[in-house]
């Protein structure tokens, strides 16, 4: 009992100290906002291999074709096309079928005599890519199943030992050369077939790892890369994948990177050659080796990534490899808008096709390629060779940009055609030149007028393309474009009051604002210090220079929220630590742990895994209270590998569920100072594991929730 009271005293004392130091701007140990942990493989000692960065002096030149191209075709083709996504009555599989359906090696090998893609026509495939407007093709020379789709002398597990008996890559390389596309290989590092590759799948109990030697596997990879880089002419990109298992590390990554560049110096290599990719956002951890470009998978970054080359790869339906049951294809219009979105953020789009075991593209893919091609034929110049949009947000669509000798062309991708026929582009100070619709072969000029900082383009009543009509707008001289100011406050809800900060990265501008939705004028309040907001309000802000508006207006609502009352602790008081339940099992997402029997339970100081009895396939639920020093809107974060969720007072606040590498998610909630129930659920399937829980309030920088704030 005594201890308990002492604990509560220490808690309030420490909490007070922490919050005061945070208010004073003193840096707390964990207040950097960075995840304090990196996987051990990111922390390896320097290696003897020459630093690949030294090979990068010619980077801009080598990347030029790739940056201009903007659009490529991914092809996932392999033995997995034979089952076409179906195994034992289940139809949800793709290129992962061998592992997802746990198919033993010798059973999987039975697809080999069935693989005979007699309808394969390299010329037709490459023509379809070219006609869709794609400038490069990345095809699987080998996927995770280890089956080689080329004539390799290093294993029999290749296409020459199927009834097909010839090498499709030779014909594809020739067709790419003929039609002017760059030919590229996807090559998996992970290999579920080669005896020297480690680790084994955990379900493959009867496949011994005895005598396996990973360094011999790396030598095998190198020998195959040598084949791929010697027999098919110039290769544009080597696209590695399956690099996340514990055996792969940065040293190997640099070695392979240098090796392929020593054979073909002009080649580009994606970041998955290294070991520092964080998650499916596809970017490399700071300081880790990241190859030539980042690889967001099945997603588009929210904003451009200045200084980083990247390429979003995406399926047309829900599978990479052919799945005959999957008819969930994105409409062509959605794909066209995604291409414009990606180009407006300075990235490339690698769009996937999963051909059948007969060697055909699925008809749904063909019709989409066709529709995209029709759009590209008219509007391709707004994609190729363009740079990222100078504007962060446009209500009606997207913008891409090309610099010219006398100024620039802004390509305005109009998704939502204005009903009043006036397209407004705010924040353009340049004199406008000619504007015309790319869909208009006669290029008749559209009327452009100026209204203060904005150019207003008069459009015909009907959009030439319901999906995306592009206007080329010439501007004279060096682009002088200004985005509206940005709100820099991390909160849009508050409990008592909130200081709202604004900023603009443009030189020589001042920010003026109104409380309310009306557009600020030169007579509006001048922003100098954060604005104190005490009730729900809208703030509208705009940039001015020399007494004139130079940007559009940004408006944002800040809402006063009622905080949840603090919990009443049990009369007997609380004690340090959290109650934990430990579970064992294999999950893809958080199960309902309340329905499962724990393998252990007890009290633990904070969110740690200490009581676990294995490294993989486990889960935890932590329950207790968190003591908050003051009333505020709080943002909670979980950084986890794999999934996690967090509840406060039984309200779901953070959903970071799913199988993933170290990923951080957050959510906010208004809370009164004092005790609040906290619950965190976590699970780990395989690979590295991590869990950290952070909090940030209006007065406190982000920090790991200290042990002293947790009790039960
Ligand atoms: O080839 C296609 C897929 O078969 C392959 N990549 C695309 C281009 C792919 N392999 N795995 N996945 C996609 C999903 C795997 C995700 C995870 Fe991970 C691996 C979760 C945890 C380990 C990647 C690495 C995300 C976090 C770490």
């Amino acid at each position: 009992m005594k201890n308990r009271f002492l604990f509560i005293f220490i808690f309030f004392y420490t909490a007070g100290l922490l919050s005061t130091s945070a208010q004073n701007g003193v840096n707390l140990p964990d207040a950097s906002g960075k995840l304090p942990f990196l996987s051990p493989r990111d922390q390896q000692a320097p290696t003897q291999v020459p630093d690949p960065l030294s090979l990068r002096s010619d980077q801009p030149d080598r990347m030029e074709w790739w940056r201009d191209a903007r659009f490529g075709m991914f092809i996932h083709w392999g033995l997995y096309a034979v089952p076409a996504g179906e195994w034992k009555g289940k139809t949800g599989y793709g290129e992962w079928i061998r592992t997802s359906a746990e198919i033993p090696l010798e059973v999987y090998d039975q697809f080999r005599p069935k693989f005979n893609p007699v309808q394969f026509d390299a010329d037709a495939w490459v023509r379809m890519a070219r006609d869709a407007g794609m400038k490069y093709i990345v095809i699987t020379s080998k996927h995770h199943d280890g089956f080689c789709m080329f004539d390799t002398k290093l294993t029999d597990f290749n296409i020459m030992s199927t009834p097909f008996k010839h090498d499709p890559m030779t014909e594809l390389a020739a067709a790419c050369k003929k039609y002017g596309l760059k030919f590229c290989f996807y090559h998996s590092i992970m290999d579920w077939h080669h005896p020297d590759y480690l680790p084994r799948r955990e379900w493959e109990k009867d496949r011994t790892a005895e005598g396996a030697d990973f360094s011999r596997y790396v030598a095998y990879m190198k020998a195959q890369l040598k084949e791929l880089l010697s027999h098919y002419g110039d290769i544009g990109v080597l696209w590695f994948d399956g690099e996340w298992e514990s055996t792969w590390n940065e040293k190997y990554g640099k070695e392979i990177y240098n090796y392929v560049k020593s054979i073909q110096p002009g080649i580009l290599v994606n970041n998955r050659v290294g070991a520092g990719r964080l998650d499916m956002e596809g970017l490399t951890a700071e300081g880790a080796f990241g190859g030539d470009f980042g690889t967001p998978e099945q997603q588009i970054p929210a904003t451009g990534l200045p200084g980083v080359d990247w390429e979003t790869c995406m399926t047309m339906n829900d599978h990479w490899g052919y799945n005959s049951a999957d008819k969930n294809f994105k409409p062509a219009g959605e794909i066209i808008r995604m291409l414009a979105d990606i180009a407006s953020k300075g990235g490339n789009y690698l769009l996937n096709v999963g051909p059948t075991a007969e060697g055909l593209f699925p008809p749904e893919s063909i019709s989409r390629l066709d529709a995209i091609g029709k759009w590209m034929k008219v509007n391709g110049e707004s994609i190729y060779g363009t740079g990222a949009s100078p504007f962060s947000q446009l209500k009606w669509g997207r913008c891409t940009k090309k610099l010219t000798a006398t100024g620039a062309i802004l390509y305005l991708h109009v998704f939502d055609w204005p009903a009043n026929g006036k397209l407004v582009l705010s924040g353009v100070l340049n004199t406008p030149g000619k504007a015309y619709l790319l869909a208009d072969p006669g290029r008749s000029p559209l009327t452009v007028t100026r209204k203060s900082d904005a150019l207003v383009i008069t459009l015909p009543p009907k959009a030439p393309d319901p999906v995306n009509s592009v206007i080329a707008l010439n501007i004279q001289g060096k682009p002088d474009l200004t985005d509206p100011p940005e709100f820099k406050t991390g909160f849009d809800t508050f409990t008592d009051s909130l200081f709202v900060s604004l900023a603009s990265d443009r030189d020589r501008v001042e920010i003026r604002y109104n409380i309310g939705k009306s557009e600020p004028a030169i007579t509006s309040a001048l922003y100098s210090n954060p604005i104190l907001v005490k009730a729900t309000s809208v703030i509208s802000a705009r940039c001015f220079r020399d007494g004139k508006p130079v940007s559009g207006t940004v408006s944002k609502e800040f809402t006063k929220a009622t905080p949840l009352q603090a919990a009443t602790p049990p009369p007997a008081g609380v004690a340090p630590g959290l109650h934990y339940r430990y579970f064992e099992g294999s999950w893809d997402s958080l199960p309902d742990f309340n329905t499962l029997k724990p393998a252990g339970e007890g009290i633990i100081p904070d969110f740690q895994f200490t009581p676990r009895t294995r490294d993989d396939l486990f889960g935890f639920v932590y329950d207790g209270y968190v003591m908050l020093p003051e009333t505020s809107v709080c943002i909670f974060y979980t950084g986890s590998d794999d999934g996690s969720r967090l509840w406060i007072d039984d309200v779901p606040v953070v959903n970071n569920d799913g199988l993933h590498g170290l990923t951080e998610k957050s959510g906010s909630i208004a809370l009164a100072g004092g005790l609040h129930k906290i619950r965190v659920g976590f699970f780990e399937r395989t690979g590295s594991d991590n869990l950290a829980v952070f909090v940030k309030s209006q007065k406190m920088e982000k920090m790991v929730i200290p042990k002293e704030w947790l009790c039960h």
Side-chain angles (χ1 to χ4, degrees):
M1 257 325 214
K2 238 180 175 175
N3 280 348
R4 289 189 173 180
F5 284 123
L6 182 65
F7 165 67
I8 290 186
F9 170 76
I10 292 175
F11 160 72
F12 280 107
Y13 180 71
T14 330
L17 269 184
L18 284 171
S19 67
T20 325
S21 54
Q23 280 166 45
N24 294 343
V26 177
N27 270 343
L28 293 166
D30 290 301
S32 66
K34 291 229 175 79
L35 295 176
F37 34 68
L38 279 175
S39 64
R41 61 187 183 182
D42 296 332
Q43 300 168 350
Q44 305 227 347
T47 66
Q48 302 308 313
V49 181
D51 185 349
L53 294 178
S54 65
L55 296 167
R56 293 173 139 205
S57 54
D58 61 341
Q59 184 83 339
D61 292 338
R62 282 195 296 115
M63 296 294 290
E64 204 170 343
W65 73 263
W66 186 89
R67 288 184 185 137
D68 282 351
R70 284 286 172 254
F71 193 26
M73 178 181 279
F74 217 168
I75 302 181
H76 275 72
W77 200 34
L79 272 194
Y80 40 81
V82 173
E86 188 176 346
W87 193 249
K88 296 198 172 156
K90 287 195 184 166
T91 56
Y93 304 111
E95 72 291 346
W96 272 66
I97 192 164
R98 182 165 116 66
T99 275
S100 309
E102 305 190 356
I103 306 177
L105 259 195
E106 54 294 354
V107 179
Y108 194 77
D109 202 35
Q110 291 166 18
F111 298 140
R112 200 149 43 127
K114 294 191 185 136
F115 192 75
N116 191 14
V118 288
Q119 311 244 44
F120 168 69
D121 179 348
D123 208 78
W125 282 18
V126 177
R127 251 185 292 120
M128 282 190 276
R130 181 202 60 178
D131 292 346
M134 293 157 158
K135 300 288 191 192
Y136 57 110
I137 291 180
V138 183
I139 185 164
T140 44
S141 45
K142 184 190 83 167
H143 205 268
H144 308 332
D145 63 359
F147 182 75
C148 299
M149 291 292 288
F150 63 106
D151 182 2
T152 170
K153 300 297 171 233
L154 289 133
T155 174
D156 286 343
F157 196 51
N158 81 65
I159 195 150
M160 304 307 283
S161 68
T162 68
F164 191 53
K165 277 201 194 80
H166 62 268
D167 183 350
M169 300 304 175
T170 313
E171 288 159 35
L172 282 168
C176 280
K177 195 161 183 199
K178 174 170 160 196
Y179 293 113
L181 278 78
K182 295 271 185 186
F183 188 50
C184 316
F185 288 119
Y186 166 109
H187 202 73
S188 175
I189 292 170
M190 180 160 72
D191 189 315
W192 303 326
H193 184 274
H194 197 281
D196 282 321
Y197 181 82
L198 292 169
R200 295 281 185 269
R201 304 306 93 200
E202 65 43 49
W203 54 269
E204 271 189 305
K205 303 278 185 240
D206 53 350
R207 240 190 107 209
T208 177
E210 228 181 274
D213 175 352
F214 194 77
S215 63
R216 217 159 45 201
Y217 173 72
V218 178
Y220 164 78
M221 250 184 87
K222 280 168 107 172
Q224 288 204 321
L225 290 167
K226 174 109 196 188
E227 291 179 326
L228 291 170
L229 296 178
S230 308
H231 302 159
Y232 307 96
D234 284 346
I235 301 302
V237 176
L238 257 171
W239 211 105
F240 290 99
D241 197 8
E243 83 292 14
W244 58 80
E245 298 207 286
S246 53
T247 38
W248 196 250
N249 60 35
E250 184 157 306
K251 175 179 157 286
Y252 286 134
K254 289 183 174 177
E255 187 182 328
I256 292 288
Y257 183 93
N258 283 336
Y259 181 68
V260 301
K261 294 216 170 181
S262 73
I263 306 172
Q264 291 205 12
I267 201 164
L268 303 177
V269 180
N270 70 338
N271 65 340
R272 300 187 187 189
V273 73
R277 176 167 59 119
L278 288 169
D279 48 33
M280 302 302 261
E281 281 174 31
L283 304 176
T284 301
E286 224 178 292
F289 176 57
D292 295 323
F293 59 91
T295 49
E297 180 164 329
Q298 301 286 39
Q299 56 187 291
I300 302 174
T303 61
L305 306 166
V308 180
D309 286 297
W310 56 275
E311 171 192 70
T312 282
C313 58
M314 201 180 275
T315 51
M316 284 199 203
N317 55 357
D318 294 328
H319 292 87
W320 298 95
Y322 178 62
N323 179 307
S324 61
D326 180 358
K327 301 294 174 196
N328 190 29
F329 283 82
K330 297 169 187 65
E334 194 180 325
I335 299 174
I336 290 165
R337 286 186 176 184
M338 282 178 173
L339 177 59
D341 185 30
I342 290 168
S344 81
K345 293 170 180 169
N348 281 14
Y349 196 19
L350 188 63
L351 182 63
N352 185 67
V353 175
T356 67
E358 289 72 47
L360 296 174
F361 283 9
E364 296 87 350
S365 299
I366 295 176
S367 62
R368 276 151 189 82
L369 291 171
D370 205 46
I372 298 163
K374 289 205 170 78
W375 186 87
M376 284 295 276
K377 206 160 181 182
V378 174
N379 300 293
E381 72 160 277
S382 70
I383 300 291
Y384 303 128
T386 58
S389 169
F391 304 103
S392 54
Q393 296 246 327
L394 294 167
K395 286 192 189 86
W396 39 257
R398 299 290 182 274
C399 173
T400 53
K401 176 189 76 185
K402 215 179 266 179
L403 295 179
T404 63
T406 56
I409 308 174
L410 301 180
Y411 293 100
L412 313 178
H413 298 250
V414 187
F415 297 175
D416 300 314
W417 200 250
N420 67 358
K422 307 279 183 206
L423 189 80
V424 179
L425 185 67
S426 300
V428 185
L429 299 192
N430 302 76
T431 307
K434 186 176 171 181
Y436 55 91
L437 277 158
L438 293 186
D440 173 8
R443 300 198 159 186
S444 33
L446 300 167
T447 306
V448 185
T449 55
R450 175 170 290 285
K451 189 173 168 237
S452 166
D453 61 283
L455 296 178
V456 182
I457 305 171
T458 305
L459 301 179
K462 202 170 164 300
D465 189 311
V467 164
N468 179 5
S469 308
V470 183
I471 294 148
L473 167 66
N474 286 277
I475 56 169
Q476 292 171 15
K478 191 166 165 260
D480 190 2
L481 314 165
T482 309
D483 251 347
E486 240 185 287
F487 288 103
K488 291 292 185 193
T489 306
F491 293 85
D492 48 18
T493 54
F494 57 95
T495 49
D496 296 316
S497 60
L498 180 70
F499 281 106
V500 174
S501 309
L502 282 159
S504 166
D505 57 8
R506 291 309 306 264
D507 293 339
R508 294 197 306 115
V509 295
E510 57 189 27
I511 299 171
R512 289 181 182 270
Y513 68 94
N514 285 332
I515 305 294
K517 277 199 177 134
S518 67
E519 194 163 65
I522 189 66
T523 49
S524 302
L526 178 66
Y527 175 84
S528 52
N529 290 311
I531 307 158
L532 181 64
V533 180
K534 290 186 165 168
T536 295
S537 0
V538 173
I539 297 181
S540 300
R542 190 176 188 187
C543 295
F544 289 77
R545 185 188 289 156
D546 304 331
K548 291 196 193 106
V550 292
S551 80
T553 297
V554 64
S555 296
K556 187 164 174 183
E557 186 170 58
F558 297 89
T559 314
K560 185 160 183 157
T562 315
L564 286 184
Q565 287 313 304
T568 324
V574 289
L578 296 169
H579 176 253
Y580 77 85
R581 281 174 289 158
Y582 166 68
F583 299 87
E584 292 182 344
S586 176
W587 310 283
D588 291 345
S589 60
L590 275 181
D592 180 358
F593 283 119
N594 287 331
T595 63
L596 303 178
K597 195 172 155 341
E601 59 187 305
I603 306 300
I604 203 172
D606 58 7
F607 307 96
Q608 46 180 263
F609 305 148
T610 320
R612 69 174 158 175
T613 54
R614 42 157 97 167
D615 287 340
D616 286 325
L617 306 173
F618 67 91
F620 274 94
V621 179
Y622 306 89
D623 275 298
Y625 294 99
V626 56
M627 299 199 179
L628 296 169
E630 64 244 321
T631 298
S632 172
V633 170
C634 293
I635 304 180
F636 289 89
Y637 307 73
T638 67
S640 70
D641 169 359
D642 292 295
S644 58
R645 286 176 188 259
L646 177 147
W647 293 261
I648 298 290
D649 295 336
D650 302 322
V651 179
V653 179
V654 183
N655 179 356
N656 191 0
D657 204 356
L659 272 187
H660 50 68
L662 188 52
T663 304
E664 188 176 276
K665 291 275 168 69
S666 65
S668 70
I669 184 164
L671 300 173
L675 283 178
H676 290 270
K677 266 169 61 185
I678 185 168
R679 163 176 286 193
V680 172
F682 167 83
F683 81 98
E684 159 64 13
R685 201 157 88 171
T686 54
S688 48
D689 49 57
N690 267 306
L691 173 66
V693 184
F694 306 83
V695 67
K696 169 181 166 178
S697 79
Q698 287 171 247
K699 293 185 184 150
M700 230 164 46
E701 291 297 318
K702 178 178 168 189
M703 62 179 182
V704 169
I705 299 183
K707 282 202 253 312
E708 293 76 14
W709 295 23
L710 298 169
C711 55
H712 68 282

